[in-house]
Amino acid sequence: MTRSSTTRRRFLAALGAAGLGGLTGCTGIGALSNDSDVPTATPRSPPSGPADTAATVRPAPAQAASGLSPDTWIYNEGFPGPQLRVPEGDVLEVELANGLPRETTVHWHGVPVANPMDGVPGVTQQPAGPGESFTYRFRAEPAGTYFFHSHVGLQLDRGLLAPLIVEESDPHVEYDREYTVVLDDYLDGAPQPLYEGTDSGGRGPGMGGGGPGMGGMMGDRRPPYAALLANGRPPNDPQRLDVREGQRVRVRFINASSATYFRVRLGGHPMTVTHADGRPVDPVAVDSFRFGAGERYDVVVDATNPGTWELLATALNGRESPARALLSYDGGTSAPVSPSATGRELSYGDLVARTPIDGLDGSPDRTFNLTLSAGQSGWLIDGQAYPDADPLQIKEGEHVRVTMRNRSPVVHPMHLHGHFFQVGNAVKDTVVVPGHMGTVTFDFLADNPGNWLFHCHNLYHLESGMARLIQYIE
Ligand code: C2O
Ligand code: CU
């Protein structure tokens, strides 16, 4: 990897990040790709003053006693990691104390933090080495269901993920209790790239290369997952979500997988979707929804149908048994009833944000038309594989429009760091672009200066190059 060191120096100067030291070598997915001579804009500073909430996140290899593979890396000895919960508006300070044998970072997926807090190695910070620490600081807003994860290499698929809940002071839907359901695809070995090194035959990822990692759809190769998990539990040992008849329960679903497009269904009850990627929407009742890696949905369920009901999350692009939990009334032990295979499924068109993004009503100041496709050794945006890819340059205050056209047969859950975007009538930070020429357009307001990743949240697609830097220039 050859990158001009003057570019790096200029970048670090623009960050104002004294003491970061030199960035040496390529740090994988976050490698700096600013080859432009244009001066970049100064990022916002993180909030100053005392923190309202402090926490420590300790990534480390799983202990033998945990029952997890020794190749699994976890936060604070749990899998998924500890749920971080804060009231909206709090200044949150989180120390990352690295107990791994490798360098790491934490990315606050979906939270529009100040750029130096975004946790992307080589782009917003130098990663914390073994035994080192890094302190993140940001205001927990807006309220919503988020998660945090490592942004180094394939560490997300090693288990470095955990929920982050920013509590609403005034939710638009009332409920009596709540659960978080983290869905994940679990590997019992160290993750390996699927499209680099292993693909010496020169076949592109969309060419149906086959092999053991081949998923259900042509070209959608997946790692050899041991199981799909709900809150860290395999399907044969499901968690019980206890309810009492008459209660309304809120369930926060997080697709924290690395490569799984889930369809979620619940037996015996409609689910009323109340939030998409943490942002409130007009409630809409459905029987199922699908979501890609990085997406979140909150639903409320009225407990009016006593019994024991299966909650199933099926891989639409894989063959593993569905992840599973049980909705269980009053501690009953009746045999669980499966959801029906039919019913109304959520579509993006059903989502109407309660708070649209201000300043996007006119025509865009800048438009990017991007093609998503398969290349010889990885996944591409407009024919380029990050980090050897042109940054998408924008200016503060602009209304930016991005259109993505998917020339491949597989879905791509595209995620923008640092901003929410408007897609149809929804406000989200991750959106699935369907295969076979699926097209999605989103708009965002350039209100958070810095260098931000925009990428496919299928970790293996990201790792092979399906990313761009969005760069604020002066
Ligand atoms: Cu979940 Cu680049 O992030
Ligand atoms: Cu992808």
Side-chain angles (χ1 to χ4, degrees):
M1 185 106 343
T2 51
R3 292 276 154 209
S4 99
S5 57
T6 54
T7 301
R8 283 215 172 87
R9 272 198 294 277
R10 188 166 53 240
F11 171 73
L12 289 169
L15 263 179
L20 268 186
L23 290 178
T24 49
C26 172
T27 52
I29 57 177
L32 180 61
S33 65
N34 174 9
D35 283 336
S36 130
D37 287 326
V38 185
T40 52
T42 307
R44 237 168 54 197
S45 303
S48 53
D52 302 302
T53 304
T56 302
V57 166
R58 299 177 189 283
Q63 300 292 306
S66 68
L68 295 162
S69 155
D71 287 325
T72 299
W73 289 354
I74 54 181
Y75 288 134
N76 299 23
E77 294 169 25
F79 184 70
Q83 174 161 293
L84 209 49
R85 271 192 100 89
V86 279
E88 66 178 307
D90 265 24
V91 172
L92 178 59
E93 189 173 280
V94 185
E95 186 193 358
L96 163 65
N98 186 4
L100 300 169
R102 301 290 297 276
E103 53 188 28
T104 195
T105 64
V106 177
H107 170 60
W108 312 95
H109 180 110
V111 186
V113 299
N115 194 251
M117 301 288 104
D118 198 44
V120 180
V123 173
T124 68
Q125 70 169 98
Q126 181 155 22
E132 292 179 357
S133 63
F134 185 94
T135 301
Y136 295 93
R137 207 182 159 82
F138 58 93
R139 196 172 292 279
E141 63 186 8
T145 300
Y146 302 94
F147 68 122
F148 59 97
H149 62 80
S150 165
H151 218 297
V152 171
L154 298 172
Q155 289 181 0
L156 168 59
D157 216 7
R158 274 193 105 136
L160 294 175
L161 58 99
L164 167 63
I165 308 300
V166 179
E167 292 168 342
E168 291 158 291
S169 50
D170 187 19
H172 69 295
V173 175
E174 290 182 358
Y175 50 94
D176 303 301
R177 64 194 308 170
E178 67 166 272
Y179 292 101
T180 301
V181 173
V182 177
L183 296 167
D184 186 33
D185 39 21
Y186 179 67
L187 275 180
D188 54 9
Q192 304 296 333
L194 295 180
Y195 302 109
E196 289 158 309
T198 55
D199 196 30
S200 49
R203 286 173 304 215
M207 314 300 186
M214 184 80 181
M217 291 162 75
M218 192 195 78
D220 200 2
R221 249 191 261 180
R222 298 169 77 243
Y225 287 117
L228 301 179
L229 307 182
N231 288 343
R233 309 267 289 261
N236 60 6
D237 178 29
Q239 184 186 355
R240 284 180 176 269
L241 311 178
D242 291 312
V243 295
R244 281 210 308 279
E245 187 173 359
Q247 285 184 331
R248 177 180 281 170
V249 53
R250 176 177 184 169
V251 187
R252 301 169 181 265
F253 290 98
I254 301 171
N255 186 340
S257 74
S258 290
T260 301
Y261 187 33
F262 281 109
R263 179 175 184 220
V264 177
R265 295 176 293 150
L266 171 64
H269 304 74
M271 296 182 283
T272 300
V273 176
T274 58
H275 299 73
D277 293 352
R279 307 301 300 132
V281 296
D282 291 343
V284 51
V286 297
D287 297 300
S288 67
F289 61 85
R290 14 182 106 201
F291 66 164
E295 292 191 287
R296 292 92 64 210
Y297 285 113
D298 293 20
V299 309
V300 292
V301 173
D302 285 307
T304 56
N305 196 3
T308 304
W309 302 93
E310 271 188 325
L311 174 68
L312 292 181
T314 310
L316 291 161
N317 58 342
R319 295 185 183 139
E320 301 87 4
S321 301
R324 188 166 173 257
L326 299 177
L327 185 72
S328 167
Y329 281 69
D330 302 310
T333 52
S334 56
V337 181
S338 304
S340 89
T342 58
R344 174 159 145 63
E345 185 161 277
L346 181 75
S347 72
Y348 284 142
D350 296 324
L351 299 171
V352 179
R354 312 262 308 169
T355 333
I357 299 174
D358 273 343
L360 294 182
D361 8 33
S363 52
D365 300 303
R366 206 180 280 269
T367 301
F368 297 100
N369 289 300
L370 305 174
T371 299
L372 312 179
S373 70
Q376 284 303 302
S377 59
W379 292 93
L380 309 174
I381 296 178
D382 253 19
Q384 296 182 339
Y386 185 82
D388 295 312
D390 302 325
L392 307 176
Q393 295 180 324
I394 63 176
K395 289 189 176 162
E396 187 169 6
E398 287 181 339
H399 167 181
V400 182
R401 175 165 294 170
V402 176
T403 295
M404 299 159 291
R405 201 166 50 109
N406 184 355
R407 277 181 43 201
S408 78
V410 312
V411 298
H412 298 291
M414 301 300 295
H415 172 54
L416 174 62
H417 285 214
H419 308 74
F420 288 97
F421 51 70
Q422 184 100 24
V423 52
N425 291 315
V427 173
K428 296 184 93 275
D429 55 60
T430 308
V431 65
V432 168
V433 186
H436 303 288
M437 304 308 277
T439 299
V440 171
T441 294
F442 67 70
D443 291 62
F444 70 98
L445 186 67
D447 61 358
N448 197 0
N451 292 278
W452 301 98
L453 269 197
F454 165 60
H455 64 87
C456 181
H457 218 281
N458 178 312
L459 195 61
Y460 297 87
H461 296 187
L462 164 60
E463 176 71 9
S464 81
M466 199 166 217
R468 285 297 179 98
L469 207 59
I470 301 235
Q471 184 175 65
Y472 280 68
I473 58 173
E474 285 294 356

